[in-house]
Each structure stands twice: as C-alpha cells, then as structure tokens.
Amino acid sequence: MKNKMISNYLYSLIYQLLITIIPIITLPYTSRVLGDKMIGIDASVMAYVQIFAIFCILNVANYGSRAIATTKTKEQTSQVFWNIYTIQFLASVAVILCYLVFISFTKSNHIYYLIHLFTLGASLLDISWYFYGKEELKKTTARNIMVRIVTLICIFLFIKSQDDLWKYILINSLSLFIGQIVLWKFALKDIHFMKPQSSELKKNFWPMIQYFLPLIASQIYLNVNRIILNTFAGPTEVGYYSQASKIVRMVIGFITPLSTVFLPRIANEFDNKNHVQIKRYMDVSASFVCLISFPIIFGLMAIGNDFIALFLGADFSPSIPVLKILAPSILLVGLANVFGVQLLLATNQPKKYTFSVTLGAVVSLLINYMFVGRYGSIATSYAELAAELIGLIIQLYFAYKIIDFNSFIKNMLTYALFGLIMFLSINFLPSYFGWPRTIGLILQVLIGACIYLSLLLITKNKLFYVLANKILSRK
C-alpha cells in the first residue's frame, strides 16, 4: 500500500511538474503577446465562468473519490459511480442553461463567454474523481500530459497578437473538454452501466451538498474578488493580480497532490476505525507540506523582482508586490489541504470544513470591498491571504486533538528557520556581486537549493531521509 501511495504521489507530481513547466514556457509568451489588458479581460471573464463551473461539479472530486474508495466489488463501484455521476450530470445541464441566460444579458465579451461553453462541458464530463477513488492516477496523469503538450503547441502556433485572445481561450477550453472525453474511454473499460437508483440519488444529494458548500465559499470568494477588482480598478489590475496568482498556484500544484493520494486512503482507514494510522498520515503530510513550502516561499521573496521582470516582462512590474504578498499562501493552502481536505472531509466532517472556509471567505470579501478602490490588486492579495489564514486557524482548532500538535509546531519552526537562513544567504547576492539578471536568478535558485538541502542533511532530517530513500529505492 505504501508503494502505491508513493507511486500515486509521483504520478501526480510528474503531472504538476509538467503543468508548472508549461506555464513557465507560455506565460512569458502570452504576457508579452496578449498584453496586460487582454490578460486582465481573460481573467475577468474566467472569474464568471468558474463560478458556473463550480456548480457543475458540486465538489464531486472529494465526495466521489471518497465514496469510490470505500466500495468493495466491481458491481458496487459501478452502481456508486452512476448514482453520483447522474447528480453531477443533471446539475451541469441546469447550470449550462443558466449560463446561456447569463450570456444573453452580458453587454460585452460575448464571443469569449460562448467559447467557454467547452469549459462548462468539461465540468459536465469530469470523472477524474473516479480514478482518484480507485487510486489509479497513472491514467489521469497520462491523459493530462497529452492534453497539456497539445495545448502548448497550439498556443505557439496560433497566438500571435492581442486579437488572438479568442483563440487562446478556445485552445484552453477545448483542450479541457477533449481531455475529459479521453478519460471516459478508460473508465468505461472498468465499469458497466447500471441504472441510477432514485433512493440513492436522494441519499447522496445532501451529503454531496455538504461537501460542495466549502468549495462554493473558497472558489467564489476568489472569483468574486477578481470581479470586484475589475469593477473598481479595471482589467489591467486584474491582469497584474492574475499573473502573480498563477505563479503561486503553479507552485501550490506541487503540494495539493497529497490530498489526491491521502484522501481516499484516510477515508478507508476511517471506515475501518484505524485512528492511529490516520494520525501517522497527518504527521507525515503536514511535515511534508512545511518541508516543501518554506524554501519556495523564501525563494520567491528573494528572486521575486528579477523573476517577474524576466518571466512576465516590464509591463507586469506591479505584479511583484502581489507575488510577495501571496507567497505565504503556498504554506497556508498546503496545510489547509492537510487539515481540511485530508482530515475533515476524509473523516466525514464537512460542516467543520465548511465553517472554516466560509468565515475566511466572508473576511476576504469584506477586506477586498473596503480597500480595493484605493489599493487595487494589493488589497485583493491581502484579502486572499487573510482568507487562507483564518480558514487554516479554524481547521487547526478542529484537528488539535487528532494530530500531534507539538510535533507539528516544532517541525514547522525548523523548516521556517532553514528557509530564513536560505533567504538571508541568497537575497543580496546579485546586487553584491553585480551579476546579470538572468545569471543571478539561476545562481540564486541553485545556491538556495544547495543551502536548504545541506541544512536538511546536516540536521539528519528524518522525513527528508525517508523520502529520499523511498524515491531512490524505486530506481
């Protein structure tokens, strides 16, 4: 089982590495070709689209994967799959009809909204939760890699000027749609059609809504914040915020696969009343998030100025403070995935998770609304950070008796200290030695990584040695 968990995480990590590398290639190109205003328009339109998409998927990713993980036979798995997907399908059809009504009342950007029908169609067809529940991430990883590579090629082939924004949106939305169709080919080899049971539809609906509520709170505040920012500060400010946020979310992608791997496993242990094993999973998961997050956070703080200038171009220099403000959310989101998704949702406590996310969302919206007119994207960044922090604090309160809290704090402070030492060692190197920007950035990353790894080796960090041995033993 441990080998399968490691394999699943590595498959997820490979995919996250790919979706990190691709934006590293495409973001500099699209930022310069499309420009800050068009990037802002794209982000503003997408904010509305994602709100509708949220209601399509109903957070089936967490509820569905947990339900599939607890099935014992192929027949039972098929029945559970069709019971859950029927609810997703009906919800998606209703949402898409509402979206068409919404489009009819919009005053601008109609073509962009129409193209995003493929995005909503992808949500309707999304059954990745089935593979997460079965712990078969190899299939989803292969599908995603293929789709991302085709998307990358199309962007460079067809995006040549600001007038190509509609092509850019079409490429991204159509690739999502086609990718979901490919997943169905794999799924239908393992499951057979079974008529949805009306009694099970009713039985699943309310629990699914309970899992859905925290997703509404977390995703809507992120998208509504963009809408508020666009309304009071304009699409250009949205562009500054959106590009910095994309960079942070790329990094978070290295951490969130833990939830994909641990949630079905913890759900299964919870059903078997194996609370000792759950505690072990929590300790490892939280420590891993801290180990990975702190060097990245302090690294972004150190290289932020040069990184934005090289990565996005001079037009996006206002994204620099946004990036530095959002950087700590890498840790906050990672730990929220541990204590919120992996623990509270996996152990069937969605109400507590909903409360934590909702309170954070309310505070975020208030901060953004009060200050966005004066401070623009800076205010939106602080609002997002406040939401993540408040949500995490509440989740820690609920998880206090389940986890080894003293060990968690000790580990977190240790990795924070290592990250700070790394930051102080590399922050002023380019200016002190007069390195050219590109060379200085590369050397900062390499030196910083060597310093952080050296600290782990010198202190004989247990988690680092275990992970290194597991990975090396697979070669």
Side-chain angles (χ1 to χ4, degrees), residues 83-125:
N83 287 339
I84 293 175
Y85 181 70
T86 299
I87 298 174
Q88 177 185 342
F89 178 83
L90 294 174
S92 297
V93 170
V95 169
I96 291 173
L97 291 175
C98 293
Y99 180 74
L100 291 172
V101 174
F102 164 76
I103 292 176
S104 67
F105 286 99
T106 56
K107 297 181 180 179
S108 59
N109 300 321
H110 287 85
I111 184 64
Y112 305 144
Y113 285 112
L114 284 171
I115 293 172
H116 272 299
L117 281 170
F118 286 111
T119 303
L120 298 183
S123 297
L124 181 148
L125 295 173

Side-chain angles (χ1 to χ4, degrees), residues 3 87 89 133 175 192 197 223 250 252 258 284 286 289 326 346 348 353-354 358 369 440 459 461:
N3 288 334
I87 298 174
F89 178 83
S175 65
H192 56 274
Q197 301 168 325
N223 291 298
M250 281 192 300
I252 290 174
L258 277 175
V284 172
V289 168
L326 291 178
N348 203 24
Y353 183 56
T354 300
T358 301
Y369 182 77
T459 57
N461 183 267

